[in-house]
């Protein structure tokens, strides 16, 4: 019999200090309560655990968490350099069951998986595998909340999970309250180029449902090009020119392509784009890249506040985007990191007007 229901998470009592939970894929998994040792497999998993302030329970990481690059913008990783000194249990998207068994965590949390894969890993290691749905801040926000609550239940971080969810709720509501009354006719049109999508992209790489645009009143000119089950991808140069948006934003993760001259900013400076009004008026701005080992939710919020301040300054008159970003980073990962991320990852171009010379 189900004895409690926490935001859609079924919890069944069993003997001792264990609990049977229903994970993000509907699997019933028996796990120890408040385990001392865990690992996080899959993109973003360790990020959410960091939000919950359970870093001390992590005893191993995948190779991508160790091999950090100088321009890495993952706030949770920058705030926790100790992750780089932990044993490695597998490669990117490839767990090593033998290594995991030898390391011996009590629980394996796993994102971006399926039932068969989760069951096989559990069978091979003899360790409970809790599958998680990563979610997002808009369309799949319920999944994100359920995941935070489920991890919080297992890790004895239920109060912190509620604090984190309340934080996101408050920020989302604040952004909505500031811009919800903007009439459709007054919404500023914008295009964001250089959006990472399974790797770095140039100007034509965009997001058809760009979350910061969704959180404030922005008309995403690329939305009309969206295809079913396609959040991001390349659009034609002719489309960008034809849309002729009021403003162009550059996802600065594209700067990784700068040495090849294939980054979004370099491409926007080419002659074929010179007649666009955003280029003519100098309305081209740099944004934090948040697609790095899946979505950095903290940077999504930071970008949304900067965009809101830029487009509707009277509605964001009390907001300093840099201070707001640091407040968000500090609450979620424990450190004010905007200056470091901007300097090391984005050449100090984030939250600035970009030169078209």
């Amino acid at each position: 019999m189900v004895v409690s229901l926490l935001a859609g998470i079924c919890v069944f009592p069993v003997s001792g200090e264990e609990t049977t939970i229903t994970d993000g894929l509907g699997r019933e998994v028996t796990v120890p309560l408040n385990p001392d040792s865990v690992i996080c497999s899959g993109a973003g998993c360790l990020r959410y655990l960091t939000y919950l302030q359970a870093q001390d329970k992590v005893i191993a990481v995948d190779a991508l968490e160790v091999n950090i690059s100088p321009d890495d913008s993952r706030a949770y990783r920058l705030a926790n350099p100790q992750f780089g000194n932990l044993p490695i249990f597998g490669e990117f998207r490839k767990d090593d069951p033998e290594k995991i068994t030898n390391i011996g965590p009590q629980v394996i949390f796993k994102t971006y998986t399926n039932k068969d894969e989760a069951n096989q890993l559990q069978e091979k290691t003899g360790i409970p595998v809790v599958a998680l749905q990563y979610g997002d801040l808009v369309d799949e926000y319920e999944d994100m909340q359920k995941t935070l609550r489920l991890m919080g239940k297992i890790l004895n971080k239920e109060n912190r999970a509620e604090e984190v969810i309340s934080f996101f709720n408050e920020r989302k509501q604040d952004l909505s309250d500031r811009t919800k009354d903007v009439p459709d006719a007054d919404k500023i049109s914008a295009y964001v180029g250089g959006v990472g999508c399974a790797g770095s992209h140039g100007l034509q790489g965009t997001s058809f449902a760009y979350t910061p645009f969704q959180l404030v009143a922005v008309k995403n000119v690329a939305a009309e090009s969206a295809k079913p089950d396609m959040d991001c991808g390349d659009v034609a140069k002719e489309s960008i020119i034809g849309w002729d948006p009021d403003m162009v934003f550059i996802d600065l993760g594209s700067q990784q392509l700068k040495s090849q001259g294939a980054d979004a900013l370099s491409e926007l400076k080419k002659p074929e784009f010179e007649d666009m009004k955003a280029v003519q008026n100098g309305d081209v701005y740099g944004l934090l890249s948040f697609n790095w080992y899946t979505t950095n939710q903290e940077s999504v919020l930071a970008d949304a506040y900067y965009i809101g301040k830029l487009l509707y300054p009277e509605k964001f008159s009390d907001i300093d985007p840099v201070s707001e970003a640091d407040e968000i980073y500090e609450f979620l990962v424990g450190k004010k990191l905007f200056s470091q991320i901007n300097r090391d990852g984005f050449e100090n171009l984030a939250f600035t007007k970009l030169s078209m010379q």
Side-chain angles (χ1 to χ4, degrees), residues 1-198:
M1 181 179 69
V2 178
V3 296
S4 67
L5 186 65
L6 179 60
I9 300 166
C10 299
V11 181
F12 303 80
V14 295
S15 59
E17 294 298 316
E18 293 182 323
T19 292
T20 299
I21 56 88
T22 302
D23 74 4
L25 295 178
R27 300 164 57 251
E28 291 186 13
V29 184
T30 300
V31 298
L33 280 174
N34 194 20
D36 296 321
S37 60
V38 303
I39 62 171
C40 280
S41 170
C45 184
L46 194 54
R47 179 179 296 113
Y48 283 179
L49 183 138
T50 298
Y51 288 174
L52 296 176
Q53 300 177 337
Q55 302 95 305
D56 61 323
K57 296 179 181 289
V58 179
I59 61 170
V61 295
D62 70 33
L64 195 64
E65 304 292 6
V66 172
N67 301 323
I68 186 169
S69 62
D71 59 353
D72 203 305
S73 62
R74 290 174 292 165
Y76 74 94
R77 178 60 179 82
L78 297 174
N80 290 278
Q82 74 276 10
F83 290 157
N85 298 321
L86 293 175
I88 295 175
F89 65 76
E91 302 301 317
F92 173 53
R93 295 179 180 172
K94 188 176 181 181
D95 300 317
D96 186 324
E98 184 176 351
K99 286 183 179 179
I100 292 173
T101 302
N102 291 336
I103 292 168
Q106 293 172 276
V107 177
I108 301 168
F109 291 108
K110 189 167 179 61
T111 56
Y112 295 98
T113 188
N114 56 54
K115 286 185 178 181
D116 287 343
E117 188 177 57
N119 288 336
Q120 288 174 13
L121 182 60
Q122 185 165 297
E123 290 169 4
K124 289 179 179 180
T125 61
I127 299 167
V129 174
V130 178
L132 305 170
Q133 300 284 2
Y134 194 74
D136 60 35
L137 287 173
V138 183
D139 298 329
E140 298 176 359
Y141 185 48
E142 185 177 347
D143 286 338
M144 179 179 164
Q145 294 177 82
K146 286 181 178 179
T147 288
L148 289 168
R149 287 189 169 114
L150 178 54
M151 294 180 79
K153 174 69 179 179
I154 295 169
L155 296 167
N156 193 31
K157 294 288 185 178
E158 290 172 285
N159 291 339
R160 174 62 181 175
E162 294 306 320
E163 290 173 358
V164 171
I165 291 168
S166 293
F167 180 85
F168 281 118
N169 287 340
E170 290 164 5
R171 289 301 192 276
K172 280 163 53 74
Q173 189 64 52
D174 181 48
L175 289 163
S176 175
D177 288 345
R178 291 172 186 271
T179 58
K180 65 183 179 182
D181 295 328
V182 177
D184 286 344
D186 294 340
K187 289 182 179 179
I188 295 172
S189 64
Y191 174 78
V192 57
V195 176
C197 186

Side-chain angles (χ1 to χ4, degrees), residues 13 23 38 70 78 84 168 260 292 318 324 327-328 343 347:
D23 74 4
V38 303
L78 297 174
F168 281 118
Q260 308 163 39
W292 197 305
D318 60 324
E324 193 71 23
E327 184 176 319
I328 293 166
R343 180 191 68 235
E347 303 175 18

Side-chain angles (χ1 to χ4, degrees), residues 215-258:
L215 294 174
V216 292
V218 181
K219 180 183 177 182
N220 184 353
V221 296
E224 63 187 52
S225 298
K227 297 178 181 179
D229 302 319
M230 187 174 180
D231 295 328
C232 58
D234 283 358
V235 294
K237 293 180 180 179
E238 294 76 14
S239 294
I240 300 171
I241 295 168
W243 291 327
D244 198 19
D246 298 316
M247 292 189 173
V248 172
F249 291 94
I250 301 297
D251 180 315
L252 293 168
S254 177
Q255 291 298 100
Q256 294 182 54
L257 302 174
K258 187 177 180 180

Side-chain angles (χ1 to χ4, degrees), residues 291-309:
N291 290 331
W292 197 305
Y293 213 23
T294 203
T295 307
N296 292 269
Q297 311 291 5
E298 62 283 356
S299 294
V300 172
L301 287 179
D303 278 341
Y305 274 101
Y306 174 66
I307 294 167
K309 175 78 172 186

